[in-house]
């Protein structure tokens, strides 16, 4: 009878545009299982059902039941109101004011914490000491879009509007291509998965000599693959992306004085073809400036392996915080949604 066991499962859910990843762990953060659904959460009307089904499938795969759940933490690519558990705006998912936290809490009868996916990942990396005992850490998530999560003195930094770390929309080239946010030449336009794919497609459409595919839209995966094979157009795009990523790393270090910048997200899964241009650009900065050499030591960059599940583990850490808050609050309010995730710490 699973219902007689003490609930001991923390569920971390990473909701993306093209997949839902669930990580299950026990309350000592030992991994129990991971489960990935290779389709996105879809529009807001079905999203709660899809996320719930992904969690139920993960529990079943782990030989567990919903009665074993202590708490759920969800990372979403967008702007959230953690206190309400509401996703206020997730452009890539098409969600607007979705009360995801209360709906999942009502369904599973456990506390649910919601946070921006990259910030959740940053909190999780810090709590699990991915870079050792550093009190400060920046995580730069480079996927379809780009944003950063920053932990300062052990506390996740959200900012006054929950926009802290949205550096994907920092303008790098004022005359650059138009971004979905309305500005021109945003960091995302040059270095995100979408931006890299669009730059490659523009080169193909302009008739440039390239080995990039011409029978379907170009993706960042194509560009890194062809760059590794010596395609000049692809190499130009990945070298530029690397320079911009290096600049972002430098800016994160100079702004927050973090010891390390962790890189993760789909684009970074290209591995060496992704990292080499970044390293070259960082070396260029170091060669020019003693201050840059001090700020950017050789181990400043920590590249996550593709199977790191940073988003899912971030969700697990959110869940642990939500479970602890509930345990220390009135035990009779077990199904409430936890307050702001800014309380997420490494403790
Ligand atoms: Zn933008």
């Amino acid at each position: 009878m699973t219902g007689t066991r003490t609930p001991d499962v923390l569920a971390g859910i990473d909701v993306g545009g093209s997949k839902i990843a669930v990580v299950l762990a026990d309350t000592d953060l030992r991994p129990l299982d991971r489960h990935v659904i290779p389709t996105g959460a879809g529009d807001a009307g079905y999203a709660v059902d899809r996320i719930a089904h992904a969690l139920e499938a993960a529990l079943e795969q782990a030989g567990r039941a919903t009665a074993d759940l202590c708490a759920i933490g969800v990372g979403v690519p967008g702007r959230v109101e953690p206190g309400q558990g509401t996703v206020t705006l997730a452009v890539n998912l098409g969600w607007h004011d979705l009360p995801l936290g209360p709906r999942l809490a009502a369904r599973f009868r456990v506390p649910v914490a919601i946070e921006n996916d990259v910030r959740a990942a940053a909190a999780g990396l810090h709590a699990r000491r991915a870079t050792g005992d550093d009190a400060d850490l920046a995580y730069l998530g480079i996927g379809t879009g780009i944003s950063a999560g920053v932990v300062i003195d052990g506390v996740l930094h959200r900012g006054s509007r929950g926009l802290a770390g949205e550096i994907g929309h920092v303008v790098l080239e004022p005359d650059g291509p138009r971004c979905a946010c309305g500005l021109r030449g945003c960091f995302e336009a040059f270095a995100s998965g979408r931006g890299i794919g669009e730059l490659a497609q523009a080169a193909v459409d302009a008739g440039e000599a390239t080995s990039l595919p011409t029978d379907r839209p170009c993706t960042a995966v194509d560009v890194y693959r062809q760059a590794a094979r010596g395609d000049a157009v692809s190499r130009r795009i990945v070298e530029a992306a690397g320079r911009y990523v290096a600049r972002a790393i430098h800016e994160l270090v100079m702004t927050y004085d973090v010891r390390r910048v962790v890189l993760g997200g789909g684009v970074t899964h290209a591995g060496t073809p992704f990292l080499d241009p970044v390293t070259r650009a960082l070396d260029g900065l170091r060669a020019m400036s003693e201050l840059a050499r001090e700020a950017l030591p050789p181990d400043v960059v920590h590249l996550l392996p593709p199977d790191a599940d940073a988003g899912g583990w971030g969700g697990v850490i959110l869940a642990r915080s939500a479970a602890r808050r509930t345990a220390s609050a009135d035990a009779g309010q077990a199904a409430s949604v936890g307050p702001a995730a800014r309380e997420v710490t490494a403790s």
Side-chain angles (χ1 to χ4, degrees), residues 168-171 178-189:
H169 298 288
V170 168
V171 173
R178 178 82 71 182
C179 176
C181 77
L183 297 174
R184 284 187 177 278
C186 291
F187 181 23
E188 280 194 11

Side-chain angles (χ1 to χ4, degrees), residues 4-93:
T4 59
R5 282 208 293 262
T6 304
D8 66 342
V9 176
L10 300 169
I13 306 177
D14 185 20
V15 178
S18 59
K19 70 176 170 68
I20 300 172
V22 181
V23 172
L24 302 180
D26 69 15
T27 48
D28 293 321
L29 302 186
R30 285 181 295 241
L32 297 173
D33 204 5
R34 74 186 286 267
H35 186 72
V36 179
I37 308 275
T39 54
D43 74 62
Y46 304 102
V48 176
D49 275 345
R50 290 221 179 139
I51 292 167
H53 287 151
L55 174 53
E56 285 158 0
L59 287 165
E60 190 180 339
Q61 186 175 290
R64 298 301 198 112
T66 55
D68 296 327
L69 278 176
C70 304
I72 301 168
V74 189
V76 177
R79 201 166 166 180
V80 304
E81 176 35 72
Q84 315 294 325
T86 301
V87 181
T88 49
L89 184 63
V91 175
N92 290 336
L93 300 175

Side-chain angles (χ1 to χ4, degrees), residues 235 238-239 246 273 275-286:
R235 290 181 72 149
V238 305
E239 286 296 325
L275 192 59
D276 280 353
V278 177
T279 305
R280 275 194 287 277
L282 289 173
D283 283 343
L285 294 173
R286 290 169 181 133

Side-chain angles (χ1 to χ4, degrees), residues 1 20 48 92 100-101 138 175 198 218 221 234 251 267 299 303 316 323 334 336:
M1 288 290 287
I20 300 172
V48 176
N92 290 336
L100 183 60
D175 300 320
E198 287 176 357
C218 291
V221 172
S234 300
E251 281 159 11
V267 171
D299 60 351
L303 180 67
V316 168
S336 68

